[in-house]
Every structure is written in structure tokens, then in C-alpha cells.
Amino acid sequence: MGTGSGGTGPAAGEGDEGRTSRITLRVPEHLRPRIDEAAEREGLSVNAWLVRAVGAALDPGAGAARPGLPGADQHGRRYRGWVR
């Protein structure tokens, strides 16, 4: 997996915490269509969706455990909060 210094500024809407870095991610062929579909459902680019997924996996207590599911637990099965 290669890494390197990427752009000099944040990409819009991608968890921008300052500078960005490039990384090459190799995924099994059977996952790619699922990733594409999930990103499309969320109205995001694949990159933006992956950034959210990685961020949620690394810091699950900081919001949604899965992209697009606010308040969901790690497996996306439970919701927390009040409903009227």
C-alpha cells in the first residue's frame, strides 16, 4: 500500500481536517460494486464515502458508526435518541 504527500488543502466535504494525503487502497473485486452503490446511495463520491467509513471505524464514538446512519451502533442495527 503506497502513501505519499498529496494535495495542499482539504477536499470539500471529505472530513477536512487540514492537509490531505494520498493512499492506494486495493479492495477485493467483489467489494467494489458494493462500495460504489453505498457511495451513490449517500450522494457521495467513492473517496468521500471511504473517508467517512474509515473515520467512523477509527473513532466510532464520534458520531455515526456507519456512514449515513446517525446514531447507529457499530453494526448499524440500533438507533439512540428520542422520537415524538
Side-chain angles (χ1 to χ4, degrees), residues 18-46:
R19 299 174 64 91
T20 60
S21 178
R22 284 187 185 262
I23 186 169
T24 300
L25 175 66
R26 298 177 195 265
V27 298
E29 285 185 31
H30 72 277
L31 288 181
R32 182 60 196 250
R34 294 177 63 194
I35 293 168
D36 291 339
E37 291 167 8
E40 187 174 334
R41 263 193 319 271
E42 300 291 327
L44 299 170
S45 69
V46 168

Side-chain angles (χ1 to χ4, degrees), residues 69-80:
L69 296 176
D73 74 357
Q74 277 190 312
H75 303 289
R77 295 184 199 136
R78 294 186 206 144
Y79 291 90
R80 296 185 180 106

